[in-house]
Amino acid sequence: MGISRLTAGDGAGSLEIMFRAVNQSGPGKVDGGLSFLCWPPRCLICAAPGAPGRDLCPDCHATLPWLHQACPRCALPQPRAQRCPACRQSDGGALTRVHAGFEYAFPLDQLLPRLKFHGDLAVARVLAHCLAERFAGLPRPQVLVPVPLHRRRLRWRGYDQALELARPLARRLGVPLRDDLLVRRHATAAQTSLNAAARQRNLHAAFGVRSGAALPTRVTLFDDVMTTGATVQAAAQALRAAGVTVVEAWVCARVA
């Protein structure tokens, strides 16, 4: 049975157009392992043969929406790399700055929902590989801290998508990973349908620092998608309140 290549016209989140599963890499560790020895990599987008050691073909890799021009403080996509209107009028809150690898556009708007809601952990492996290349020129974080899920949602989903991206990224860049530092205190409502003000209210006091955790002076948060920034701001506020001096954020994709 053939597989149709996804195109931007297929619509964000339209996963039903795939005739069969496109993840042909087989089971294995998210950040590598023996799967590549047994199953040649196949492109996660179109199912063509992947580049050596990567679940993307060269054509689909070329379509990735790398974020080239953005606000240097919040990473909002912009025509030029200058502060956005919101950042010109504010001090940036608890976050010093944000770096994003991609704009949240095709095909990231297809891949990240597959990771987050459909358990396609091969997406985390290939995107972490891409992010490691993208972030290689940045100053290395003292520690990388994935934004955690609440334990109730973690039990239901079975994995934390931010951690699944952050773990292979930290390993590739040689950065210490601290997934024991932050806790999500409240099982907040899903942010998707909320406006900016409601997102902030929803996340009020949602995060805390684990009791007895050794605190570094500088922390880089990691999350999969940043929309208004309410989630990473709430996590940064908890870290700053606990005594962390500087909090930055790396995100896989930034919504325009």
Side-chain angles (χ1 to χ4, degrees):
M1 181 180 294
I3 301 218
S4 63
R5 177 184 290 271
L6 299 179
T7 65
D10 294 319
S14 178
L15 304 182
E16 293 79 17
I17 63 171
M18 297 179 218
F19 295 119
R20 61 181 172 87
V22 297
N23 175 18
Q24 301 296 317
S25 298
K29 294 170 59 179
V30 171
D31 57 341
L34 298 178
S35 60
F36 288 120
L37 299 178
C38 304
W39 290 273
R42 307 292 293 183
C43 180
L44 290 170
I45 299 171
C46 71
R54 182 176 297 185
D55 295 325
L56 281 178
C57 70
D59 288 343
C60 287
H61 185 270
T63 70
L64 294 176
W66 301 102
L67 185 54
H68 296 294
Q69 302 291 338
C71 172
R73 172 169 280 177
C74 74
L76 183 71
Q78 300 243 96
R80 290 185 294 172
Q82 61 185 13
R83 286 195 178 188
C84 67
C87 286
R88 288 200 297 267
Q89 298 174 16
S90 72
D91 61 1
L95 278 173
T96 302
R97 68 176 302 167
V98 178
H99 293 282
F102 302 101
E103 186 173 348
Y104 191 71
F106 181 84
L108 266 290
D109 58 4
Q110 306 281 340
L111 294 174
L112 285 173
R114 281 167 46 186
L115 167 62
K116 189 170 185 175
F117 302 115
H118 300 280
D120 195 344
L121 299 183
V123 170
R125 179 180 63 230
V126 73
L127 290 182
H129 190 151
C130 294
L131 290 174
E133 295 175 348
R134 183 67 168 177
F135 294 154
L138 297 178
R140 290 293 192 270
Q142 186 176 358
V143 294
L144 191 64
V145 176
V147 174
L149 292 177
H150 188 265
R151 61 182 180 277
R152 186 184 305 167
R153 186 163 295 173
L154 180 61
R155 285 197 301 268
W156 177 79
R157 188 172 294 168
Y159 61 96
D160 182 335
Q161 74 278 355
L163 176 59
E164 295 299 336
L165 283 161
R167 184 184 288 120
L169 174 61
R171 183 172 292 124
R172 284 185 176 274
L173 294 179
V175 174
L177 182 71
R178 289 289 303 275
D179 61 342
D180 63 331
L181 193 57
L182 266 182
V183 293
R184 198 156 190 153
R185 292 171 170 167
H186 308 304
T188 53
Q191 297 275 87
T192 307
S193 61
L194 304 179
N195 61 27
R199 285 170 184 250
Q200 292 178 353
R201 291 193 299 270
N202 186 42
L203 289 162
H204 177 68
F207 296 98
V209 173
R210 195 179 300 276
S211 177
L215 289 176
T217 57
R218 302 174 66 92
V219 165
T220 298
L221 291 165
F222 181 86
D223 209 1
D224 55 339
V225 179
M226 177 175 168
T227 304
T228 66
T231 300
V232 287
Q233 281 286 358
Q237 288 166 6
L239 290 165
R240 293 288 298 274
V244 176
T245 305
V246 177
V247 183
E248 297 187 349
W250 287 1
V251 297
C252 181
R254 179 68 160 95
V255 176

